Amino acid sequence: QVQLVESGGGLVQAGGSLRLSCAASLSIFSIHYGAWYRQVPGNQRELVASITSGGTTNYADSVKARFTISTDNALNTVYLQMSSLKPEDTAVYYCNAALSSGSTYVGNYWGQGTQVTVSS
């Protein structure tokens, strides 16, 4: 079964750092588009950052210069390095990825979500 497995959330003080990881469940899959979203209860899910297999990145204005999205060399894990965290970054973070197996598109998938809480 194809899954995206997230890890790395937790509780951190303002100004601290966390790194989120999102891995495809099988190494035969590669990520040709990856993104991180976040959602606060009562609000819509918002795009935080995205990356293409060619390395082109895009960031929400609220996280520019603080967050960095990247993939590993095998292109089956997407990372979100979060620095200078603020209380307003508190949310459930979800990864989203378009997966391929070789040259065959497999589908678009969501991770299970991981809680990030930033205390003031």
mmCIF file of all heavy atoms in Angstrom, residues 45-83:
data_model
loop_
_atom_site.group_PDB
_atom_site.id
_atom_site.type_symbol
_atom_site.label_atom_id
_atom_site.label_comp_id
_atom_site.label_asym_id
_atom_site.label_seq_id
_atom_site.Cartn_x
_atom_site.Cartn_y
_atom_site.Cartn_z
ATOM 1 N N ARG A 45 -6.642 24.484 5.203
ATOM 2 C CA ARG A 45 -5.267 24.024 5.074
ATOM 3 C C ARG A 45 -4.522 24.979 4.138
ATOM 4 O O ARG A 45 -5.033 25.327 3.076
ATOM 5 C CB ARG A 45 -5.261 22.596 4.509
ATOM 6 C CG ARG A 45 -3.962 21.854 4.645
ATOM 7 C CD ARG A 45 -4.131 20.398 4.267
ATOM 8 N NE ARG A 45 -4.982 19.687 5.213
ATOM 9 C CZ ARG A 45 -5.173 18.361 5.197
ATOM 10 N NH1 ARG A 45 -4.568 17.628 4.262
ATOM 11 N NH2 ARG A 45 -5.951 17.792 6.091
ATOM 12 N N GLU A 46 -3.333 25.405 4.550
ATOM 13 C CA GLU A 46 -2.588 26.356 3.744
ATOM 14 C C GLU A 46 -1.249 25.761 3.310
ATOM 15 O O GLU A 46 -0.616 25.011 4.056
ATOM 16 C CB GLU A 46 -2.343 27.672 4.499
ATOM 17 C CG GLU A 46 -1.476 27.560 5.727
ATOM 18 C CD GLU A 46 -1.050 28.901 6.290
ATOM 19 O OE1 GLU A 46 -1.265 29.938 5.639
ATOM 20 O OE2 GLU A 46 -0.470 28.918 7.398
ATOM 21 N N LEU A 47 -0.826 26.148 2.101
ATOM 22 C CA LEU A 47 0.450 25.697 1.572
ATOM 23 C C LEU A 47 1.580 26.435 2.279
ATOM 24 O O LEU A 47 1.577 27.661 2.357
ATOM 25 C CB LEU A 47 0.518 25.949 0.066
ATOM 26 C CG LEU A 47 1.830 25.583 -0.620
ATOM 27 C CD1 LEU A 47 2.075 24.083 -0.562
ATOM 28 C CD2 LEU A 47 1.826 26.074 -2.057
ATOM 29 N N VAL A 48 2.546 25.669 2.775
ATOM 30 C CA VAL A 48 3.709 26.248 3.443
ATOM 31 C C VAL A 48 4.892 26.326 2.495
ATOM 32 O O VAL A 48 5.551 27.360 2.378
ATOM 33 C CB VAL A 48 4.079 25.413 4.678
ATOM 34 C CG1 VAL A 48 5.359 25.929 5.325
ATOM 35 C CG2 VAL A 48 2.933 25.412 5.691
ATOM 36 N N ALA A 49 5.172 25.213 1.805
ATOM 37 C CA ALA A 49 6.328 25.151 0.907
ATOM 38 C C ALA A 49 6.136 24.007 -0.059
ATOM 39 O O ALA A 49 5.458 23.027 0.255
ATOM 40 C CB ALA A 49 7.622 24.974 1.697
ATOM 41 N N SER A 50 6.778 24.133 -1.223
ATOM 42 C CA SER A 50 6.714 23.071 -2.217
ATOM 43 C C SER A 50 8.054 22.958 -2.922
ATOM 44 O O SER A 50 8.859 23.901 -2.935
ATOM 45 C CB SER A 50 5.593 23.311 -3.232
ATOM 46 O OG SER A 50 5.851 24.478 -3.993
ATOM 47 N N ILE A 51 8.281 21.781 -3.528
ATOM 48 C CA ILE A 51 9.521 21.542 -4.249
ATOM 49 C C ILE A 51 9.252 20.574 -5.397
ATOM 50 O O ILE A 51 8.465 19.632 -5.251
ATOM 51 C CB ILE A 51 10.622 20.990 -3.312
ATOM 52 C CG1 ILE A 51 11.963 20.888 -4.033
ATOM 53 C CG2 ILE A 51 10.213 19.642 -2.710
ATOM 54 C CD1 ILE A 51 13.136 20.640 -3.083
ATOM 55 N N THR A 52 9.880 20.839 -6.528
ATOM 56 C CA THR A 52 9.771 19.929 -7.664
ATOM 57 C C THR A 52 10.989 19.013 -7.694
ATOM 58 O O THR A 52 11.989 19.257 -7.001
ATOM 59 C CB THR A 52 9.692 20.703 -8.979
ATOM 60 O OG1 THR A 52 10.957 21.353 -9.211
ATOM 61 C CG2 THR A 52 8.587 21.758 -8.937
ATOM 62 N N SER A 53 10.925 17.976 -8.511
ATOM 63 C CA SER A 53 12.058 17.069 -8.623
ATOM 64 C C SER A 53 13.283 17.771 -9.191
ATOM 65 O O SER A 53 14.414 17.331 -8.977
ATOM 66 C CB SER A 53 11.687 15.873 -9.498
ATOM 67 O OG SER A 53 11.263 16.305 -10.778
ATOM 68 N N GLY A 54 13.058 18.891 -9.881
ATOM 69 C CA GLY A 54 14.171 19.676 -10.405
ATOM 70 C C GLY A 54 14.759 20.630 -9.383
ATOM 71 O O GLY A 54 15.756 21.306 -9.674
ATOM 72 N N GLY A 55 14.139 20.683 -8.199
ATOM 73 C CA GLY A 55 14.678 21.509 -7.125
ATOM 74 C C GLY A 55 14.081 22.902 -7.015
ATOM 75 O O GLY A 55 14.513 23.695 -6.168
ATOM 76 N N THR A 56 13.088 23.212 -7.829
ATOM 77 C CA THR A 56 12.439 24.519 -7.724
ATOM 78 C C THR A 56 11.566 24.558 -6.478
ATOM 79 O O THR A 56 10.753 23.671 -6.265
ATOM 80 C CB THR A 56 11.577 24.799 -8.962
ATOM 81 O OG1 THR A 56 12.416 24.778 -10.123
ATOM 82 C CG2 THR A 56 10.899 26.154 -8.847
ATOM 83 N N THR A 57 11.762 25.577 -5.651
ATOM 84 C CA THR A 57 11.023 25.690 -4.392
ATOM 85 C C THR A 57 10.125 26.919 -4.387
ATOM 86 O O THR A 57 10.354 27.883 -5.111
ATOM 87 C CB THR A 57 11.986 25.778 -3.202
ATOM 88 O OG1 THR A 57 12.864 26.901 -3.392
ATOM 89 C CG2 THR A 57 12.820 24.520 -3.074
ATOM 90 N N ASN A 58 9.118 26.827 -3.526
ATOM 91 C CA ASN A 58 8.178 27.936 -3.366
ATOM 92 C C ASN A 58 7.776 27.968 -1.900
ATOM 93 O O ASN A 58 7.593 26.906 -1.281
ATOM 94 C CB ASN A 58 6.948 27.728 -4.249
ATOM 95 C CG ASN A 58 5.974 28.867 -4.150
ATOM 96 O OD1 ASN A 58 6.326 30.015 -4.376
ATOM 97 N ND2 ASN A 58 4.727 28.557 -3.806
ATOM 98 N N TYR A 59 7.653 29.173 -1.323
ATOM 99 C CA TYR A 59 7.340 29.308 0.092
ATOM 100 C C TYR A 59 6.225 30.316 0.305
ATOM 101 O O TYR A 59 6.117 31.317 -0.406
ATOM 102 C CB TYR A 59 8.569 29.788 0.869
ATOM 103 C CG TYR A 59 9.722 28.811 0.862
ATOM 104 C CD1 TYR A 59 10.725 28.907 -0.096
ATOM 105 C CD2 TYR A 59 9.801 27.795 1.810
ATOM 106 C CE1 TYR A 59 11.774 28.006 -0.113
ATOM 107 C CE2 TYR A 59 10.853 26.898 1.806
ATOM 108 C CZ TYR A 59 11.829 27.011 0.845
ATOM 109 O OH TYR A 59 12.870 26.116 0.836
ATOM 110 N N ALA A 60 5.426 30.065 1.327
ATOM 111 C CA ALA A 60 4.483 31.069 1.779
ATOM 112 C C ALA A 60 5.271 32.247 2.338
ATOM 113 O O ALA A 60 6.346 32.070 2.931
ATOM 114 C CB ALA A 60 3.568 30.493 2.856
ATOM 115 N N ASP A 61 4.740 33.444 2.159
ATOM 116 C CA ASP A 61 5.450 34.640 2.632
ATOM 117 C C ASP A 61 5.743 34.559 4.126
ATOM 118 O O ASP A 61 6.780 35.041 4.588
ATOM 119 C CB ASP A 61 4.618 35.893 2.336
ATOM 120 C CG ASP A 61 4.605 36.244 0.859
ATOM 121 O OD1 ASP A 61 5.469 35.738 0.113
ATOM 122 O OD2 ASP A 61 3.721 37.020 0.447
ATOM 123 N N SER A 62 4.849 33.935 4.875
ATOM 124 C CA SER A 62 4.984 33.905 6.332
ATOM 125 C C SER A 62 6.156 33.051 6.815
ATOM 126 O O SER A 62 6.563 33.148 7.974
ATOM 127 C CB SER A 62 3.689 33.394 6.971
ATOM 128 O OG SER A 62 3.386 32.095 6.497
ATOM 129 N N VAL A 63 6.701 32.196 5.941
ATOM 130 C CA VAL A 63 7.782 31.303 6.371
ATOM 131 C C VAL A 63 9.081 31.524 5.602
ATOM 132 O O VAL A 63 10.096 30.885 5.895
ATOM 133 C CB VAL A 63 7.373 29.818 6.256
ATOM 134 C CG1 VAL A 63 6.069 29.569 7.013
ATOM 135 C CG2 VAL A 63 7.257 29.365 4.813
ATOM 136 N N LYS A 64 9.061 32.406 4.627
ATOM 137 C CA LYS A 64 10.280 32.656 3.841
ATOM 138 C C LYS A 64 11.426 33.061 4.761
ATOM 139 O O LYS A 64 11.243 33.813 5.709
ATOM 140 C CB LYS A 64 10.007 33.765 2.815
ATOM 141 C CG LYS A 64 9.284 33.292 1.573
ATOM 142 C CD LYS A 64 9.068 34.425 0.592
ATOM 143 C CE LYS A 64 8.309 33.928 -0.640
ATOM 144 N NZ LYS A 64 8.007 35.034 -1.587
ATOM 145 N N ALA A 65 12.594 32.540 4.455
ATOM 146 C CA ALA A 65 13.837 32.800 5.193
ATOM 147 C C ALA A 65 13.876 32.084 6.541
ATOM 148 O O ALA A 65 14.889 32.151 7.245
ATOM 149 C CB ALA A 65 14.071 34.292 5.409
ATOM 150 N N ARG A 66 12.808 31.390 6.912
ATOM 151 C CA ARG A 66 12.815 30.623 8.168
ATOM 152 C C ARG A 66 12.708 29.124 7.925
ATOM 153 O O ARG A 66 13.256 28.319 8.683
ATOM 154 C CB ARG A 66 11.674 31.063 9.068
ATOM 155 C CG ARG A 66 11.727 32.510 9.492
ATOM 156 C CD ARG A 66 10.682 32.816 10.573
ATOM 157 N NE ARG A 66 9.316 32.586 10.122
ATOM 158 C CZ ARG A 66 8.478 31.727 10.712
ATOM 159 N NH1 ARG A 66 8.864 31.024 11.767
ATOM 160 N NH2 ARG A 66 7.243 31.593 10.247
ATOM 161 N N PHE A 67 11.965 28.733 6.877
ATOM 162 C CA PHE A 67 11.748 27.316 6.572
ATOM 163 C C PHE A 67 12.480 26.958 5.286
ATOM 164 O O PHE A 67 12.605 27.775 4.365
ATOM 165 C CB PHE A 67 10.272 27.020 6.375
ATOM 166 C CG PHE A 67 9.432 27.106 7.622
ATOM 167 C CD1 PHE A 67 9.908 27.621 8.812
ATOM 168 C CD2 PHE A 67 8.111 26.661 7.598
ATOM 169 C CE1 PHE A 67 9.122 27.688 9.951
ATOM 170 C CE2 PHE A 67 7.307 26.718 8.719
ATOM 171 C CZ PHE A 67 7.814 27.243 9.900
ATOM 172 N N THR A 68 12.940 25.703 5.208
ATOM 173 C CA THR A 68 13.590 25.206 4.003
ATOM 174 C C THR A 68 13.039 23.832 3.667
ATOM 175 O O THR A 68 13.062 22.925 4.509
ATOM 176 C CB THR A 68 15.111 25.110 4.187
ATOM 177 O OG1 THR A 68 15.632 26.402 4.538
ATOM 178 C CG2 THR A 68 15.773 24.644 2.899
ATOM 179 N N ILE A 69 12.555 23.680 2.443
ATOM 180 C CA ILE A 69 12.071 22.385 1.973
ATOM 181 C C ILE A 69 13.162 21.755 1.118
ATOM 182 O O ILE A 69 13.871 22.450 0.371
ATOM 183 C CB ILE A 69 10.748 22.530 1.191
ATOM 184 C CG1 ILE A 69 10.137 21.160 0.894
ATOM 185 C CG2 ILE A 69 10.933 23.352 -0.076
ATOM 186 C CD1 ILE A 69 8.717 21.231 0.330
ATOM 187 N N SER A 70 13.300 20.445 1.241
ATOM 188 C CA SER A 70 14.328 19.747 0.471
ATOM 189 C C SER A 70 13.921 18.292 0.288
ATOM 190 O O SER A 70 12.978 17.804 0.925
ATOM 191 C CB SER A 70 15.684 19.828 1.170
ATOM 192 O OG SER A 70 15.636 19.188 2.431
ATOM 193 N N THR A 71 14.629 17.611 -0.586
ATOM 194 C CA THR A 71 14.434 16.175 -0.762
ATOM 195 C C THR A 71 15.790 15.488 -0.639
ATOM 196 O O THR A 71 16.843 16.136 -0.758
ATOM 197 C CB THR A 71 13.832 15.841 -2.139
ATOM 198 O OG1 THR A 71 14.696 16.347 -3.170
ATOM 199 C CG2 THR A 71 12.460 16.452 -2.304
ATOM 200 N N ASP A 72 15.780 14.176 -0.407
ATOM 201 C CA ASP A 72 17.040 13.467 -0.364
ATOM 202 C C ASP A 72 17.434 13.050 -1.781
ATOM 203 O O ASP A 72 16.685 13.228 -2.734
ATOM 204 C CB ASP A 72 16.967 12.269 0.570
ATOM 205 C CG ASP A 72 15.994 11.202 0.093
ATOM 206 O OD1 ASP A 72 15.387 11.368 -0.985
ATOM 207 O OD2 ASP A 72 15.836 10.199 0.797
ATOM 208 N N ASN A 73 18.641 12.513 -1.935
ATOM 209 C CA ASN A 73 19.148 12.196 -3.267
ATOM 210 C C ASN A 73 18.311 11.136 -3.976
ATOM 211 O O ASN A 73 18.246 11.115 -5.205
ATOM 212 C CB ASN A 73 20.600 11.723 -3.178
ATOM 213 C CG ASN A 73 21.538 12.856 -2.824
ATOM 214 O OD1 ASN A 73 21.231 14.014 -3.061
ATOM 215 N ND2 ASN A 73 22.674 12.518 -2.258
ATOM 216 N N ALA A 74 17.693 10.270 -3.205
ATOM 217 C CA ALA A 74 16.869 9.220 -3.814
ATOM 218 C C ALA A 74 15.481 9.722 -4.178
ATOM 219 O O ALA A 74 14.710 8.997 -4.795
ATOM 220 C CB ALA A 74 16.748 8.033 -2.856
ATOM 221 N N LEU A 75 15.188 10.976 -3.787
ATOM 222 C CA LEU A 75 13.888 11.597 -4.075
ATOM 223 C C LEU A 75 12.720 10.802 -3.527
ATOM 224 O O LEU A 75 11.646 10.758 -4.137
ATOM 225 C CB LEU A 75 13.708 11.818 -5.586
ATOM 226 C CG LEU A 75 14.585 12.877 -6.230
ATOM 227 C CD1 LEU A 75 14.306 12.959 -7.725
ATOM 228 C CD2 LEU A 75 14.363 14.237 -5.584
ATOM 229 N N ASN A 76 12.927 10.137 -2.381
ATOM 230 C CA ASN A 76 11.756 9.498 -1.802
ATOM 231 C C ASN A 76 11.446 10.003 -0.400
ATOM 232 O O ASN A 76 10.618 9.426 0.299
ATOM 233 C CB ASN A 76 11.867 7.974 -1.827
ATOM 234 C CG ASN A 76 13.064 7.473 -1.054
ATOM 235 O OD1 ASN A 76 13.695 8.203 -0.307
ATOM 236 N ND2 ASN A 76 13.371 6.205 -1.228
ATOM 237 N N THR A 77 12.106 11.077 0.002
ATOM 238 C CA THR A 77 11.805 11.725 1.270
ATOM 239 C C THR A 77 11.814 13.234 1.080
ATOM 240 O O THR A 77 12.707 13.763 0.406
ATOM 241 C CB THR A 77 12.812 11.342 2.358
ATOM 242 O OG1 THR A 77 12.831 9.924 2.518
ATOM 243 C CG2 THR A 77 12.436 11.971 3.696
ATOM 244 N N VAL A 78 10.829 13.890 1.655
ATOM 245 C CA VAL A 78 10.756 15.355 1.638
ATOM 246 C C VAL A 78 10.939 15.848 3.065
ATOM 247 O O VAL A 78 10.338 15.296 3.989
ATOM 248 C CB VAL A 78 9.397 15.842 1.101
ATOM 249 C CG1 VAL A 78 9.345 17.367 1.072
ATOM 250 C CG2 VAL A 78 9.134 15.291 -0.285
ATOM 251 N N TYR A 79 11.751 16.865 3.217
ATOM 252 C CA TYR A 79 12.020 17.428 4.530
ATOM 253 C C TYR A 79 11.499 18.865 4.600
ATOM 254 O O TYR A 79 11.444 19.570 3.598
ATOM 255 C CB TYR A 79 13.520 17.447 4.819
ATOM 256 C CG TYR A 79 14.181 16.104 4.749
ATOM 257 C CD1 TYR A 79 14.873 15.700 3.606
ATOM 258 C CD2 TYR A 79 14.135 15.222 5.826
ATOM 259 C CE1 TYR A 79 15.478 14.462 3.535
ATOM 260 C CE2 TYR A 79 14.736 13.982 5.760
ATOM 261 C CZ TYR A 79 15.416 13.612 4.621
ATOM 262 O OH TYR A 79 16.014 12.376 4.554
ATOM 263 N N LEU A 80 11.178 19.284 5.803
ATOM 264 C CA LEU A 80 10.893 20.684 6.058
ATOM 265 C C LEU A 80 11.686 21.085 7.294
ATOM 266 O O LEU A 80 11.368 20.663 8.405
ATOM 267 C CB LEU A 80 9.402 20.944 6.279
ATOM 268 C CG LEU A 80 9.025 22.414 6.425
ATOM 269 C CD1 LEU A 80 9.226 23.155 5.097
ATOM 270 C CD2 LEU A 80 7.574 22.577 6.891
ATOM 271 N N GLN A 81 12.738 21.845 7.076
ATOM 272 C CA GLN A 81 13.541 22.376 8.172
ATOM 273 C C GLN A 81 12.922 23.692 8.602
ATOM 274 O O GLN A 81 12.808 24.624 7.802
ATOM 275 C CB GLN A 81 14.991 22.588 7.730
ATOM 276 C CG GLN A 81 15.865 23.197 8.792
ATOM 277 C CD GLN A 81 16.090 22.261 9.969
ATOM 278 O OE1 GLN A 81 16.385 21.089 9.795
ATOM 279 N NE2 GLN A 81 15.939 22.784 11.185
ATOM 280 N N MET A 82 12.509 23.762 9.847
ATOM 281 C CA MET A 82 11.843 24.951 10.372
ATOM 282 C C MET A 82 12.721 25.587 11.437
ATOM 283 O O MET A 82 13.093 24.917 12.413
ATOM 284 C CB MET A 82 10.480 24.579 10.962
ATOM 285 C CG MET A 82 9.576 23.842 9.980
ATOM 286 S SD MET A 82 7.928 23.507 10.643
ATOM 287 C CE MET A 82 8.342 22.327 11.918
ATOM 288 N N SER A 83 13.046 26.850 11.254
ATOM 289 C CA SER A 83 13.889 27.578 12.196
ATOM 290 C C SER A 83 13.190 28.851 12.629
ATOM 291 O O SER A 83 12.222 29.284 11.996
ATOM 292 C CB SER A 83 15.235 27.913 11.538
ATOM 293 O OG SER A 83 15.893 26.752 11.095
#
